[in-house]
Amino acid sequence: MEKEIMIKDGNIDYLFSSAKHIDVECVTHIHITMEIVIVTDGELNMTINGKEYVIPKGYGVFIPPLEPHTFHSQNPNQCHVLMFSEELIEYFSEFTKAHSFDRHIFPVSNASIELVNTILTNETNNVDWISANAVIAPLCYDIIHNCEIKERRTPFDETAYRIFEYINTHFCENITLDHISHAVGVHPVTVSKIFSKQTRHGFSYYLQYARCTYAAKLIKTKSLTLSEIAYESGFGCIRSFNRAFLNVYGITPTEYKNQINII
């Protein structure tokens, strides 16, 4: 029986996503998915959980679920970003929940690079379950054997995971802290504290971020008006969409769309 495809993160469509980027920059954010970034040219600057990294060509970086991170390119670079949820490769997900990472950077083996280049040939790739596993499994091996890893001193925060899982699958709706609280079975004050701890921002900002990143994806991939994109992303009007997008990305949706068209 074909394994069910599920939407698990508001920033990706399926259990696995693949995209190539040039001079990538992004505000501080978190995922419930796991993320691997492979630098294919130049060097990439990143911050993960307050740790600064300069990742050169031929190296990768692994971001576990719920770890705040940001891209801030200081030099020209090209990278390949792979995102995948726990259902895709369950044994590795359990390993990451049981361990913490003192160093997230790792050299990518030639075998892994060859598979990535062979299977993921396009700027963005939609591949089947077996192909996605063929790419991710060797990279997981590289990560386990080259990153600095230790057993967790405190258990993985399953409550926080459920909270972000909920918002990442319902951000297009008119959700509140009370909705999330009821869905995961914890007090709204606890939900608010978890947002502040995990994102260094409150619930409102994270909701803005989730909606804006989805809107940015629609701008890149769909032939929709900005008003249609605002509605599809969960904004009640174009004015609130413009204000939120400017707050998250530093430019308006129109400016973002013009940049995409130039590229």
Side-chain angles (χ1 to χ4, degrees), residues 131-188:
S131 299
N133 266 277
V135 171
I136 294 299
L139 289 168
C140 291
Y141 179 91
D142 293 341
I143 291 165
I144 291 173
H145 287 83
N146 291 286
C147 289
E148 294 179 13
I149 306 169
K150 63 184 179 184
E151 291 188 6
R152 284 186 179 272
R153 295 181 179 177
T154 56
F156 181 78
D157 195 338
E158 294 288 352
T159 300
Y161 184 92
R162 294 200 315 273
I163 287 171
F164 285 97
E165 180 179 38
Y166 183 86
I167 195 172
N168 285 343
T169 52
H170 295 274
F171 63 83
C172 291
E173 303 167 15
N174 185 25
I175 59 173
T176 65
L177 281 175
D178 287 337
H179 289 130
I180 300 172
S181 172
H182 179 75
V184 301
V186 296
H187 196 277

Side-chain angles (χ1 to χ4, degrees), residues 86-238:
E86 61 179 3
E87 288 86 355
L88 181 65
I89 191 159
E90 294 180 0
Y91 80 88
F92 185 69
S93 174
E94 293 304 314
F95 177 86
T96 60
K97 289 181 178 181
H99 295 80
S100 59
F101 285 71
D102 286 338
R103 183 172 172 80
H104 298 73
I105 189 172
F106 64 97
V108 183
S109 65
N110 290 334
S112 294
I113 291 176
E114 184 174 352
L115 279 169
V116 169
N117 291 337
T118 300
I119 296 174
L120 307 177
T121 57
N122 301 319
E123 293 300 308
T124 59
N125 301 270
N126 294 318
V127 296
D128 58 40
W129 184 278
I130 293 175
S131 299
N133 266 277
V135 171
I136 294 299
L139 289 168
C140 291
Y141 179 91
D142 293 341
I143 291 165
I144 291 173
H145 287 83
N146 291 286
C147 289
E148 294 179 13
I149 306 169
K150 63 184 179 184
E151 291 188 6
R152 284 186 179 272
R153 295 181 179 177
T154 56
F156 181 78
D157 195 338
E158 294 288 352
T159 300
Y161 184 92
R162 294 200 315 273
I163 287 171
F164 285 97
E165 180 179 38
Y166 183 86
I167 195 172
N168 285 343
T169 52
H170 295 274
F171 63 83
C172 291
E173 303 167 15
N174 185 25
I175 59 173
T176 65
L177 281 175
D178 287 337
H179 289 130
I180 300 172
S181 172
H182 179 75
V184 301
V186 296
H187 196 277
V189 172
T190 302
V191 175
S192 181
K193 287 180 178 179
I194 287 175
F195 271 108
S196 296
K197 177 184 176 182
Q198 295 288 347
T199 69
R200 299 183 178 90
H201 296 284
F203 162 72
S204 295
Y205 179 85
Y206 186 79
L207 181 59
Q208 279 189 2
Y209 168 78
R211 289 172 172 171
C212 287
T213 52
Y214 183 68
K217 179 180 178 180
L218 293 180
I219 292 172
K220 287 183 178 180
T221 60
K222 302 292 184 181
S223 298
L224 299 172
T225 67
L226 291 179
S227 294
E228 290 171 330
I229 288 172
Y231 177 77
E232 290 290 331
S233 304
F235 293 98
C237 65
I238 191 69

